[in-house]
Amino acid sequence: MRAALLLAYGSTPVLDERAEPVDAVNLVEVTAAPVVPLDLLCASGASYFGRPPLPYVPGVQGVGVVRRSAELAPGTRVWFATTAGMQPGDGSLAELCAVATADLVPIEGELSDAAAAAIGTSGIAAWMALTWRARLQPGERVVVLGASGIVGQVALAAARHLGAAHLVAVVRSEAAEAPALAAGATRVVTLADAPDRATLTARLTEAAGGPVDVVIDPVFGDPAAAAADALGPGGRLVNLGGAAGDRSDFSSATLRGRSIAILGYTNNAITPAQRAAALGSVLDLASSGALTVTHVVRPLSACAESWASAGRSGTRVVLDPRE
């Protein structure tokens, strides 16, 4: 079968031939496989998951149809997860993929395979951060950092659906303001207009109409510190990533004085049942038109050039192994 193959850590995958996983209990014909930041991290060789044996096929998630399964009928449309790059084994950037039974999630509806794949784990993370970790309540004020990214796009739409009263998107520049408003934000704050921590805190508080209840944070670093300062009593900041830095500075007096909670989130901490339910919720939002994730579809043969641009914008690259 054709597959994108990583031959060396820190390199770009190349299109090559790979033996079909003929002995797999569950075998999926892949129709859409996104390239996500976790794929790039694992392939760098610097991941906290370690270095699984090379070569391997990247791709921690995808969409396809079941060819063979212990529990699902052939032809069932599924979203699936893999441990490629985190453990030995191949991932979704291939025509066929072996998948563990617990990592198969049947999906329905008319949403395209590419759109479902583009949402995938980012949608799960945004939904669970809002509901499971932050326990967002209707009427609360929400700030979404990194709002132009995929997690941010989903978080905006999900928070609006869940009843956020004031929904503030934080983006890097004015160019991202219109998409953030279209995704559900009531106000947009640009980092370019808030050059220091105090200014950003003031802008967030003003845009939210008062102290913030929930911050969804895929970036950490200085923006997270400023957003934490904008939290009111009982406020919660949920961190999902470190795009702006691995460390942030929080005031003990602020944390204690307002009983603020700084919470972490990873998809690795939830059960398969939670993951399936969260995915179903965000795909339902997308099917209704309430959620759109910016994505572009390219053939598997374009894996090398797609890899280089995958983590650099708010547009998700989805590869189609059938092309």
Side-chain angles (χ1 to χ4, degrees):
M1 65 177 182
R2 295 186 313 145
L5 203 59
L6 186 76
L7 302 177
Y9 284 110
S11 68
T12 298
V14 296
L15 188 67
D16 206 337
E17 294 292 319
R18 188 72 158 165
E20 293 188 7
V22 292
D23 296 328
V25 174
N26 302 294
L27 190 61
V28 175
E29 296 179 9
V30 184
T31 57
V35 182
V36 300
L38 180 56
D39 293 318
L40 276 63
L41 173 63
C42 291
S44 71
S47 165
Y48 48 82
F49 293 108
R51 292 186 165 201
L54 293 168
Y56 76 86
V57 177
V60 296
Q61 60 180 312
V63 171
V65 294
V66 170
R67 174 182 286 190
R68 181 174 66 249
S69 174
E71 296 187 4
L72 300 176
T76 301
R77 184 178 181 229
V78 293
W79 175 89
F80 63 91
T82 84
T83 57
M86 295 174 276
Q87 298 178 18
D90 289 338
S92 61
L93 303 187
E95 294 177 312
L96 297 170
C97 187
V99 183
T101 300
D103 292 328
L104 289 169
V105 181
I107 57 175
E108 300 179 349
E110 297 183 0
L111 192 68
S112 72
D113 291 357
I119 293 169
T121 55
S122 294
I124 293 166
W127 183 267
M128 293 300 288
L130 284 163
T131 59
W132 183 55
R133 294 298 276 159
R135 300 189 183 277
L136 175 66
Q137 301 300 308
E140 289 192 312
R141 298 181 174 97
V142 177
V143 166
V144 177
L145 301 177
S148 59
I150 304 302
V151 170
Q153 292 176 38
V154 179
L156 289 171
R160 179 178 59 182
H161 171 75
L162 292 165
H166 297 270
L167 185 52
V168 180
V170 181
V171 299
R172 286 187 174 276
S173 65
E174 292 183 0
E177 288 188 20
L181 291 169
T186 52
R187 292 282 299 275
V188 179
V189 172
T190 62
L191 292 178
D193 294 333
D196 57 64
R197 176 172 174 170
T199 301
L200 180 54
T201 298
R203 292 287 309 278
L204 294 177
T205 304
E206 186 274 330
V212 174
D213 298 297
V214 171
V215 175
I216 299 301
D217 168 36
V219 300
F220 214 53
D222 291 339
D229 288 342
L231 287 170
R236 294 88 72 198
L237 182 149
V238 183
N239 174 256
L240 303 86
D246 189 54
R247 295 184 180 276
S248 193
D249 179 18
F250 302 110
S251 162
S252 173
T254 299
L255 296 180
R256 291 180 290 111
R258 302 179 198 166
S259 296
I260 289 170
I262 306 296
L263 306 166
Y265 176 80
T266 170
N267 282 339
N268 291 335
I270 62 176
T271 67
Q274 286 176 307
R275 181 177 60 189
L279 180 67
S281 294
V282 291
L283 293 187
D284 284 347
L285 279 181
S287 295
S288 72
L291 163 63
T292 302
V293 165
T294 307
H295 64 280
V296 60
V297 182
R298 295 175 181 166
L300 182 64
S301 57
C303 61
E305 51 266 44
S306 298
W307 187 266
S309 62
R312 298 181 182 175
S313 72
T315 299
R316 178 128 294 164
V317 177
V318 180
L319 299 180
D320 187 341
R322 299 168 297 182
E323 298 181 11

